[in-house]
Amino acid sequence: MALKQVMLKKKLDQRKSLLEQLKQKDDDFAKRSEELESAINEAENDEEVSTVEGEIEDHENEKSEHDEQKQKLEDEISELEQELEEMKNKEPKNEDRGGKRNMSEQIEVREAIKAYVRSKGQERAGFTSIEGGALIPEDLMAPQKVPEDVVNLASLISRKPVNTGSGKYPVIKKSGSKMTSVAELAKNPELAKPSFTEVNYDIETYRGYIPMSQEVIDDADYDVTGLISEEIADQELNTKNAAIAAVLKTATAKAVTGLDGLKEVFNKDIKKVYQAKAIISASLYNELDTLKDKEGRYLLQTDVTVSSGKRLFGKEVIVLDDDMIGSADGDLVGFIGDPKAFAALFDRKRASVKWVDNDVYGQLLAGFVRFDVKATDTDAGFYVTYTPESTEEQPTA
């Protein structure tokens, strides 16, 4: 397969993955619409109506942007599939032979280099050598990507697109109140008033660039700029993850001892109106992963229906590095609660650009993001510190 086809296929796979992530948010928008509809019905004065109206406008803008992103990705996928198909149709019939021949030549070079190493430099046939050192062909040296943390905390909390550098965001706290039954034609009883709070946000800018010489871009037989762009995207993810984790750590501190104490947080301390999850350190995960209940079953249950693949007491578990959700290796800590209700990402702008620098004959690939993360409903979770009991009886999961 030609290198351009490989690159097109890579782009196609990336866009399909992004589209799948966006489609997973459709249920969140539907749920939010239902919440806003309830808020409209509960509003009793102009001020409350105005507040809900502002939230509806934000919701509609966010959904519109979401739908536009999906449509754009679908269009790009269609174009890439068409381009890839056209390239396949234009392939010469003897390309397979050429591909096999090139592969055979690469294998021969590799074997020659191995022979050089085994003979401690005495055998030099089959490859180029310079001043007694082996020159390994660059087409055998495509970069290896080190695995990165793929947990995207931004997908777990609320995202609010904003158009200004600072402002106030109204939040309706979940009350858990309910209506009462009344007799026919009886006067309507007053419902519990929703609790409105305002969250102040102040957008910060994060930016930087990576220089790349034009010689490397021209000489490499792989997409150097594409790899650097991916690295910038990874750094954006890490930047947002760190900011979100820092806010999650501001939740009300709670020390728990043993599994019974941990289970009490889920069962009693967090109101049932919240969709609780456990965002815990790797060390706490390791501590819990080895424990069993009274019937010999592991407390952490496998569940392929959630992205993390694990549940604890029926709740999804997300694992982060110790120094991200904690402060040092070995910390048995985590956020337990509803991250979507607890925190919001106020997203102002993100972009990646590149330009040519004539002074160094190269390209500068830059990225910048502007956002802020704030706690919106502090009743929605706790920051727990776990202490195991020396001789504890495990609860039944």
Side-chain angles (χ1 to χ4, degrees):
M1 184 180 291
L3 290 174
K4 189 173 182 180
Q5 287 178 265
V6 174
M7 197 65 243
L8 285 174
K9 189 175 184 305
K10 177 67 174 178
K11 291 181 178 179
L12 184 61
D13 291 341
Q14 288 176 338
R15 281 155 179 77
K16 286 183 176 180
S17 177
L18 290 172
L19 181 61
E20 187 62 29
Q21 292 176 19
L22 288 177
K23 286 182 176 179
Q24 291 176 0
K25 295 182 180 180
D26 288 342
D27 292 339
D28 293 338
F29 282 106
K31 182 179 178 181
R32 182 60 176 159
S33 295
E34 294 176 359
E35 292 175 349
L36 289 172
E37 184 177 351
S38 299
I40 294 171
N41 295 329
E42 294 174 359
E44 296 184 348
N45 53 52
D46 291 341
E47 181 181 356
E48 293 177 357
V49 170
S50 177
T51 300
V52 176
E53 185 178 12
E55 288 206 45
I56 291 174
E57 184 177 353
D58 290 341
H59 172 69
E60 293 296 335
N61 290 337
E62 185 176 350
K63 188 176 185 304
S64 176
E65 182 180 344
H66 172 78
D67 292 339
E68 288 177 5
Q69 289 177 341
K70 283 203 307 182
Q71 185 60 53
K72 181 181 178 182
L73 284 173
E74 289 172 350
D75 293 342
E76 290 178 356
I77 288 171
S78 178
E79 292 174 2
L80 287 170
E81 288 177 337
Q82 183 177 353
E83 188 176 354
L84 192 59
E85 185 64 28
E86 290 174 355
M87 289 190 67
K88 287 181 179 179
N89 293 335
K90 292 179 181 179
E91 287 181 352
K93 295 181 180 179
N94 63 347
E95 182 167 327
D96 288 342
R97 294 179 183 176
K100 292 179 181 178
R101 183 172 59 253
N102 290 338
M103 180 62 71
S104 176
E105 291 173 356
Q106 290 185 5
I107 292 174
E108 289 176 4
V109 173
R110 288 192 179 95
E111 292 302 321
I113 292 171
K114 288 180 181 178
Y116 171 83
V117 174
R118 287 195 298 265
S119 67
K120 298 183 179 180
Q122 298 304 309
E123 188 173 337
R124 301 169 181 267
F127 66 95
T128 303
S129 63
I130 297 178
E131 297 178 352
L135 175 64
I136 302 176
E138 287 200 22
D139 59 352
L140 304 181
M141 298 177 62
Q144 176 181 345
K145 295 182 66 178
V146 177
E148 295 285 344
D149 181 8
V150 295
V151 175
N152 183 7
L153 293 180
S155 65
L156 300 178
I157 67 173
S158 298
R159 178 180 171 272
K160 309 297 180 185
V162 294
N163 299 317
T164 58
S166 61
K168 296 181 178 180
Y169 179 73
V171 177
I172 304 176
K173 287 194 175 184
K174 296 183 178 182
S175 64
S177 302
K178 57 184 180 297
M179 295 182 180
T180 57
S181 62
V182 295
E184 185 177 356
L185 299 180
K187 183 179 179 180
N188 286 333
E190 184 177 353
L191 297 176
K193 294 182 179 180
S195 175
F196 289 86
T197 59
E198 288 187 337
V199 175
N200 295 317
Y201 66 85
D202 190 8
I203 300 299
E204 293 189 26
T205 301
Y206 303 82
R207 61 185 178 182
Y209 71 89
I210 299 175
M212 205 71 193
S213 73
Q214 193 63 40
E215 288 89 347
V216 172
I217 296 172
D218 293 339
D219 296 342
D221 57 2
Y222 50 88
D223 184 12
V224 179
T225 56
L227 291 174
I228 298 300
S229 297
E230 288 182 20
E231 169 61 18
I232 291 175
D234 288 341
Q235 291 191 23
E236 175 191 341
L237 172 65
N238 295 337
T239 301
K240 288 184 176 179
N241 277 355
I244 294 168
V247 171
L248 295 179
K249 289 191 283 187
T250 65
T252 302
K254 193 172 189 65
V256 298
T257 301
L259 292 167
D260 287 337
L262 194 60
K263 195 168 187 179
E264 185 176 345
V265 179
F266 285 106
N267 290 348
K268 181 180 176 182
D269 297 331
I270 297 176
K271 293 182 179 179
K272 301 308 175 186
V273 294
Y274 295 114
Q275 302 296 317
K277 301 178 187 291
I279 304 175
I280 61 176
S281 66
S283 289
L284 178 52
Y285 175 84
N286 184 65
E287 181 76 22
L288 300 175
D289 194 33
T290 59
L291 299 180
K292 299 178 181 180
D293 62 21
K294 296 176 181 178
E295 298 179 6
R297 297 173 300 184
Y298 283 105
L299 290 173
L300 282 175
Q301 298 293 320
T302 301
D303 188 347
V304 296
T305 65
V306 295
S307 57
S308 66
K310 290 289 185 180
R311 285 187 183 272
L312 173 66
F313 307 136
K315 308 298 183 181
E316 183 181 1
V317 175
I318 297 97
V319 183
L320 300 179
D321 289 335
D322 290 357
D323 58 357
M324 175 171 285
I325 194 63
S327 58
D329 288 344
D331 283 351
L332 303 179
V333 295
F335 172 87
I336 294 180
D338 187 342
K340 191 171 288 292
F342 183 85
L345 171 69
F346 297 94
D347 209 349
R348 177 68 180 92
K349 194 174 185 180
R350 66 178 298 272
S352 295
V353 296
K354 66 177 181 179
W355 66 90
V356 175
D357 189 325
N358 293 325
D359 293 335
V360 299
Y361 187 58
Q363 290 188 11
L364 306 178
L365 286 83
F368 66 89
V369 288
R370 302 185 65 202
F371 67 90
D372 191 14
V373 183
K374 293 292 185 184
T376 51
D377 185 354
T378 55
D379 293 335
F382 295 90
Y383 185 68
V384 301
T385 300
Y386 177 83
T387 301
E389 288 183 352
S390 56
T391 56
E392 63 182 357
E393 292 185 0
Q394 291 87 349
T396 302

